[in-house]
Amino acid sequence: MIALRRLTAVEFRLFLREKVGPIFGLGFPLVLLIIFGNIPFFNQPGDTYGGLTVLDVYVPILIAFVITMLAINFLPATLAGYREKGILRRLGTTPAGPVRVLAAQLLVNVAVIAVAVAVLLLVGRFGFDVTLPRQFGAFLLTAVLTTTAMIAIGLFIAAAAPTGRIANAAGATLFYVLMTFAGLWIPIQAMPAVLQHISRATPLGAAVTAFQAAGEGRWPSAVQLVTLVAYAVAAGAAAARMFRWE
Amino acid sequence: MAPIIEVRNLHKQYGGTIAVDDVSLSVEAGEIFGILGPNGAGKTTTVECIEGLRAADGGSIRVLGLDPRRERAELTQRLGVQLQESQLPDRMRVGEALELFSTFYRRPAGWRALLETLGLADKAKTGYAKLSGGQKQRLSIALAMVGDPEVLVLDELTTGLDPQARRDTWGLIEQVRARGVTILLVTHFMEEAERLCDRLALIDKGRVVAVDTPAGLATRAQAGQRIRFRPDGPLDDALLAGLLAGLPDVTSVVRQGDQVVVTGNDNALSAVTSALARHRIVARQLRVEQASLEDAFVSLTNRTDKDSQ
């Protein structure tokens, strides 16, 4: 246990020192929120979003952004890099074993995601009057399922990519594809009907739809939650089958 | 007393390629045992099986009486390992790495004292990426020792180090042995093997070719003596060959530039000098070279030494 605690503490310090994670995982979405929050147009309720403001619609998208940035950009690049440098192998010769490094990485990512999501909600609420999710249980469940699905996809990238560099490139590419379907450029509600259907079949499209339902005080439809679970199971199983420690 | 490491008929292949065919060796308490061999001979695979990183396909291995795979948790507590080409995260600091690794072990060595011993005390706050090659290697040794191991496995310890750093590292290994740690050392440097090892296993093509002391291996090569000299005047090749090659103790005579190189058995030197004296030839810069470990390596593995440079 002490080994895992120390590993997690060291991994967390490395995460902060690396700067990429904090800047893109937390800083960037927070800056977006602050910019959007200061645009008057974003704060006017409109018919497109059923009486919601554009900002209301964007907060769930930014939440998906931080989860995805950390889980499929940062995590796989770090793990594949560790494997490439022989760090996992080296740990394999100690009593700690390589599994604990993986566990420490996951703990750091989950903790940072939790903090980043909380910060977005609170800055939205107290800075720009975005109401907190009205169905908070549904919001938490969606956040947990989304994080699980994204981390599973991140682990799959880490398992499949031969080097840290390739993991990085694959993660970044997939990030933009998934975020597009999450509504980063055009919110899902504003997309043509066909694109809406496609979006909701993607993990982040399902996640954002579920986050928005929870925000409005409804339980998300089971389809979205099952979609997230399915991605988590499929990517997780593929990652477990393919993962190499060296 | 039971050997510290005992390997019997180890066999390991990857797909259809045999990495280790049949390796047996035993390492006694307190010795520095070397595994020497050309690149691709199966040295690293052998130690990876000993470390428990890989499962053997055949044969048996005991380290401190433990099975490296089945009794892994216990073995990792008592075996220190330095891997070939293993790094740390770029921004991990030296002191941080040692402190972290020390928490993995039941009875760790004091990591601050290790920093001192390895000359890294002033680098405690330096990130891994900013260390020199020699410093990284010393850190790697420190990490292998932080669990206060009874056995240390060092793979290609000094590859990539400059000569001074290499000599410093050798001194360090001798200090470690003086504390009673048994050391298994993988190398392809003759000089390193000769300087450090009490005994050596020479491995080639996945098999043990010979196990002996460095001096014992050199003797086995039976290269005898090599005599070099520069004749004081111009000499006809045919005359020289006729003069020396006919001697019963001489096996070969070769001209290298203005030097003559004669090889032969232990009596060759007196035979050559008296033959030269009879013909009033003065041998300048006369040098006699004994068979070296390198000669043994070449003759026992039937390879040129180009791999080993």
Side-chain angles (χ1 to χ4, degrees), chain A residues 2-4 6-8 10-11 13-14 17-19 82 84-87 89-96 246, chain B residues 48 53-54 72 76-77 81 83-93 96 99-101 103-105 143-144:
Chain A
I2 179 166
L4 180 59
R6 297 296 308 163
L7 264 171
T8 309
V10 169
E11 288 295 339
R13 285 206 294 269
L14 290 175
R17 255 177 237 158
E18 207 58 57
K19 296 189 183 72
Y82 279 11
E84 193 181 354
K85 290 181 171 179
I87 295 167
R89 218 163 90 85
R90 179 68 185 84
L91 267 295
T93 66
T94 72
E246 53 185 81
Chain B
E48 282 176 343
L53 277 177
R54 294 186 193 285
R72 190 141 186 70
T76 51
Q77 288 284 351
V81 171
L83 295 174
Q84 195 179 348
E85 288 167 10
S86 141
Q87 303 170 44
L88 289 176
D90 284 349
R91 289 175 203 268
M92 188 177 273
R93 293 171 186 161
E96 196 172 45
E99 189 196 1
L100 174 65
F101 274 57
T103 63
F104 299 163
Y105 297 92
L143 290 174

Side-chain angles (χ1 to χ4, degrees), chain A residues 165-243:
Chain A
R165 199 181 287 262
I166 291 174
N168 210 345
T173 309
L174 190 59
F175 173 83
Y176 283 107
V177 173
L178 290 179
M179 281 312 298
T180 300
F181 288 116
L184 182 61
W185 321 111
I186 314 163
I188 296 172
Q189 295 94 319
M191 288 178 185
V194 179
L195 267 184
Q196 288 195 21
H197 284 300
I198 296 173
S199 286
R200 292 202 173 103
T202 68
L204 289 187
V208 168
T209 307
F211 276 135
Q212 280 164 355
E216 292 162 27
R218 291 179 284 115
W219 271 90
S221 94
V223 179
Q224 275 118 41
L225 300 181
V226 169
T227 303
L228 287 173
V229 170
Y231 277 107
V233 170
R241 185 186 292 263
M242 292 172 66
F243 200 83

